[in-house]
C-alpha cells in the first residue's frame, strides 16, 4: 500500500490535505504533536468518506523521536511505504527582531525548518529505492518576500525553499519530485487573530484563501500528472 504522511495534519491546512489525499486513494498517516482530539477528528472525517487513516504522533522538532517512530512504522509495514510526504507542521512566534527572544527564534526554526529535515531525511531513502516519491513542503509567502515581525518564521520558510531546490536535484533521477507551496493568507487558526479586513486590501483577489484550495494544489503535486515538475515553489496567494 502507498501511504501519505502529513505532518501537522490534525487541523487547518493539514486536515484539508489529509482528507484530499485520502479521497485520491492514499492511506493517510495523520501526524500531530499533542492535540489528539483534533487528530482523531481528522481521522474520523477520512473514515466517514471511506478512506483509511492512522494516527502517528511525534514532535517533528525532535530528531530522535522522528527516527524512532518512522523506523518502527516501517518495520511494522514491511510491504508498504510512504510515497507522499507533506511537510506541513510549523509554528509562529511573531515578534520584531529587536524584541525577539532566543526561545522565539529557536522554537520556530526547530519545528518549521529542522522538522522538515528530520522527516525528509528518513523517508526520501525509501522513495528513491522505490523509484517514486513526492515530497511537498508547505512554506509561506513570508519565506518568499519576508514579512515584518516574522524574521524567525521567514528565515525558516526561506530555508525550506532552499532545501526544496537542492533536494530536488539530488532525487530527480530516481523519480522523486520535491516541490514547495507558498500560501498567502489562508483562513486557519494561525490567521484568526490577524486583522483580516485590513489584510484583504493587500490581496488583489480581496479575500483570504481556503485550506481546501491549498489541498487541491497538493493533490496535483502528489499525483503522477506532476511527474515533470520538481524544484519549484508555487505561490497560492490570490496574487499577493
Amino acid at each position: 500500500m502507498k501511504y501519505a504522511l502529513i505532518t501537522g495534519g490534525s487541523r487547518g491546512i493539514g486536515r484539508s490535505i489529509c482528507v484530499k489525499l485520502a479521497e485520491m486513494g492514499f492511506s493517510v498517516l495523520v501526524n500531530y504533536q499533542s492535540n489528539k482530539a483534533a487528530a482523531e477528528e481528522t481521522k474520523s472525517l477520512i473514515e466517514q468518506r471511506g478512506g483509511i487513516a492512522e494516527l502517528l504522533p511525534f514532535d517533528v522538532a525532535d530528531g530522535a523521536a522522528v527516527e524512532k517512530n518512522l523506523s518502527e512504522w516501517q518495520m511494522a509495514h514491511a510491504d508498504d511505504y510512504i510515497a507522499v510526504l507533506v511537510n506541513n507542521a510549523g509554528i509562529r512566534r511573531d515578534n520584531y527582531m529587536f524584541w525577539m527572544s532566543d526561545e522565539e527564534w529557536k522554537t520556530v526554526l526547530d519545528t518549521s525548518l529542522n522538522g522538515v529535515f528530520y522527516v525528509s531525511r528518513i523517508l526520501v531513502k525509501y522513495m528513491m529505492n522505490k523509484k517514486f516519491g513526492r515530497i511537498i513542503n508547505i512554506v509561506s509567502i513570508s519565506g518568499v518576500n519576508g514579512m515584518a515581525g516574522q524574521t524567525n518564521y521567514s528565515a525558516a520558510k526561506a530555508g525550506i525553499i532552499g532545501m526544496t531546490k537542492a533536494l530536488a536535484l539530488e532525487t530527480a533521477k530516481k523519480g522523486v519530485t520535491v516541490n514547495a507551496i507558498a500560501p498567502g493568507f489562508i483562513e486557519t487558526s494561525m490567521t484568526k487573530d490577524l486583522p483580516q479586513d485590513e489584510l484583504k486590501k493587500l490581496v488583489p483577489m480581496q479575500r483570504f484563501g481556503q485550506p481546501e484550495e491549498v489541498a487541491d494544489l497538493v493533490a496535483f503535486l502528489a499525483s503522477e500528472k506532476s511527474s515533470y515538475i520538481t524544484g519549484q515553489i508555487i505561490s497560492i496567494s490570490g496574487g499577493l
Side-chain angles (χ1 to χ4, degrees), residues 14-93:
R15 172 178 289 178
S16 293
I17 293 170
C18 287
V19 172
K20 186 67 179 181
L21 292 182
E23 290 174 351
M24 291 176 65
F26 288 101
S27 299
V28 172
L29 299 174
V30 183
N31 164 256
Y32 68 98
Q33 180 182 356
S34 57
N35 194 338
K36 185 176 181 179
E40 290 280 9
E41 188 175 342
T42 300
K43 182 174 182 287
S44 178
L45 286 171
I46 292 169
E47 292 173 343
Q48 288 170 19
R49 291 165 168 78
I52 299 172
E54 298 177 23
L55 301 186
L56 194 58
F58 59 81
D59 181 1
V60 298
D62 184 340
V66 171
E67 184 167 3
K68 177 180 182 292
N69 281 274
L70 291 181
S71 296
E72 288 179 353
W73 183 90
Q74 194 62 63
M75 289 178 63
H77 296 77
D79 297 326
D80 307 321
Y81 88 107
I82 297 171
V84 175
L85 167 62
V86 183
N87 285 304
N88 172 71
I91 60 172
R92 283 175 38 217
R93 296 290 186 271

Side-chain angles (χ1 to χ4, degrees), residues 119-169:
V119 179
S120 301
R121 176 176 58 176
I122 294 173
L123 297 187
V124 72
K125 293 181 289 187
Y126 296 105
M127 293 179 182
M128 293 173 72
N129 286 337
K130 294 286 187 178
K131 293 184 171 54
F132 178 89
R134 298 285 186 264
I135 297 177
I136 303 160
N137 299 321
I138 307 300
V139 291
S140 171
I141 286 294
S142 182
V144 177
N145 298 334
M147 188 168 291
Q150 289 191 335
T151 52
N152 49 3
Y153 190 71
S154 295
K157 296 301 186 179
I160 299 171
I161 288 171
M163 190 191 307
T164 297
K165 294 179 178 181
L167 183 57
L169 299 177

Side-chain angles (χ1 to χ4, degrees), residues 213-226:
E213 293 175 300
V214 179
D216 285 338
L217 180 52
V218 171
F220 171 70
L221 291 176
S223 73
E224 296 195 13
K225 295 179 181 180
S226 67

